[in-house]
Amino acid sequence: LGGAQTLDARASHDAIAREIATPLKMSVLEAAAGIRRIVDIRMADEIRVFAAKRGVDLTAFTLLPFGGAGAVHAAAVAEELGMNRILVPPRPGAFSALGLLCTDVVHDYIRSGLAPLANLAPQYAEEIFAALEVRAREDMANENLDPSGASFLREFDLRYAGQGYELRIPLDGLYTEVLTEKSLSRVRDRFDEAHARVHGHAAKERPVEVVSYRLRLRVAVPKYKPLKMAAPPAPVPAGKGVRAVYFDPARATEAILYERDALPLGAEIRGPAVVEQFDATTVIPQGWSARVDGYRNLVLERRSA
């Protein structure tokens, strides 16, 4: 909190020594490093599973950490995932609050109904989706939401017959006003493609089952639009001090400290460094560099990649 809160480092040290280091016959630094390593790996594993479900290659993406400690762990998590770029927003600690203010109002509706997709009558599916839309419009009216900004997304939960899990398949682009036989045929193709992308294979010879009907109501709200400013090359900013940081419990590393709000546009930093601000801390390890872009994001890139 920018120095507004004093941390009791001795109490933390004693707690780790008493509860972890001493029972495991290791030093406090080794125990702390182990805690940190477990946290980093757990974060990376969650991201890896999330990406696998969507069939995406994480190495092609930028990691966006938020919260007060997100950027403390970001570089280690990125290295675990093979990612080479990190974007830390200007106010990471308030990022979720900003997102809440800018997030569209979304309501999800679902109706269960197990049936073979090949035997599903378009008129029957249309009736179910129409009934869900009636409920959605009633909720909009009760919440005084502007219907002019509303959109509806239809989805099926589909699976191959006998499977114990489903994939959500959107129907957008497969129909104009109402579902048709052709629409349902194209749904099957879309499901096979999604299954191959997510799970690595498709069983086009097997029948497909509809498990549930989904409708998502989305009502748009005004969005925050950051202003981009020119970010000319800037000299390496002066640090505000040096701190001993343990990236490796066996030895301390001197890291230069920087105040985030004092960094000019275009400023470049080479790790090891620690960037402090009121609502967050960013750790830049050896082998990483950072630059302040035109939106005042702090963009970290792995130099050794």
Side-chain angles (χ1 to χ4, degrees):
L1 299 178
Q5 180 73 37
T6 300
L7 300 180
D8 192 339
R10 172 50 57 183
S12 299
H13 181 282
D14 293 346
I16 292 176
R18 182 179 63 254
E19 302 294 337
I20 300 173
T22 299
L24 295 179
K25 296 180 174 57
M26 56 174 42
S27 71
V28 171
L29 285 175
E30 289 172 333
I35 294 169
R36 164 69 186 271
R37 180 65 176 154
I38 290 171
V39 171
D40 293 340
I41 291 176
R42 287 292 301 274
M43 288 181 176
D45 284 346
E46 291 293 332
I47 296 171
R48 190 178 286 114
V49 170
F50 186 85
K53 289 181 178 179
R54 285 153 180 78
V56 299
D57 178 10
L58 283 171
T59 62
F61 286 79
T62 296
L63 183 65
L64 196 157
F66 56 92
V72 171
H73 298 271
V77 172
E79 290 181 1
E80 184 72 24
L81 296 172
M83 302 175 73
N84 298 316
R85 192 170 185 270
I86 299 167
L87 187 148
V88 185
R91 295 295 173 195
F95 190 74
S96 294
L98 176 63
L100 178 63
L101 294 175
C102 298
T103 297
D104 295 339
V105 177
V106 173
H107 289 319
D108 287 309
Y109 305 86
I110 185 170
R111 174 81 63 83
S112 297
L114 186 63
L117 178 62
N119 297 341
L120 183 63
Q123 299 86 348
Y124 178 76
E126 189 65 36
E127 290 174 1
I128 292 179
F129 283 121
L132 294 177
E133 187 171 325
V134 168
R135 287 178 52 195
R137 292 190 180 278
E138 290 174 351
D139 288 343
M140 269 198 297
N142 293 335
E143 297 177 23
N144 295 318
L145 298 174
D146 183 4
S148 65
S151 62
F152 298 92
L153 174 65
R154 295 177 173 185
E155 296 176 305
F156 280 137
D157 284 346
L158 300 178
R159 68 185 184 189
Y160 290 121
Q163 282 184 326
Y165 54 89
E166 301 83 40
L167 289 178
R168 291 174 62 165
I169 305 300
L171 306 186
D172 56 306
L174 302 184
Y175 69 99
T176 50
E177 294 182 359
V178 296
L179 293 171
T180 64
E181 294 284 355
K182 185 177 180 180
S183 301
L184 299 182
S185 175
R186 295 170 66 190
V187 168
R188 167 64 196 250
D189 294 337
R190 183 173 286 186
F191 170 73
D192 287 331
E193 293 170 0
H195 200 281
R197 184 175 64 253
V198 174
H199 298 294
H201 65 91
K204 296 184 178 182
E205 74 285 355
R206 294 183 60 182
V208 172
E209 294 176 333
V210 178
V211 178
S212 303
Y213 304 76
R214 293 180 181 270
L215 181 73
R216 169 163 288 187
L217 164 66
R218 181 182 297 274
V219 182
V221 301
K223 300 294 187 292
Y224 167 72
K225 295 181 179 180
L227 298 176
K228 185 176 183 179
M229 296 170 281
V236 176
K240 64 177 186 178
V242 176
R243 178 182 299 157
V245 177
Y246 287 87
F247 293 100
D248 180 341
R251 60 185 179 86
T253 300
E254 284 196 346
I256 302 176
L257 306 180
Y258 296 93
E259 186 64 39
R260 175 116 186 227
D261 292 339
L263 296 177
L265 295 179
E268 295 188 1
I269 300 171
R270 295 173 72 89
V274 177
V275 180
E276 300 178 329
Q277 61 190 98
F278 178 79
D279 60 312
T281 301
T282 300
V283 173
I284 307 171
Q286 181 73 36
W288 287 78
S289 61
R291 182 176 183 273
V292 181
D293 72 5
Y295 294 102
R296 293 200 173 279
N297 298 305
L298 194 59
V299 181
L300 281 63
E301 293 185 301
R302 187 152 43 151
R303 298 196 306 272
S304 58

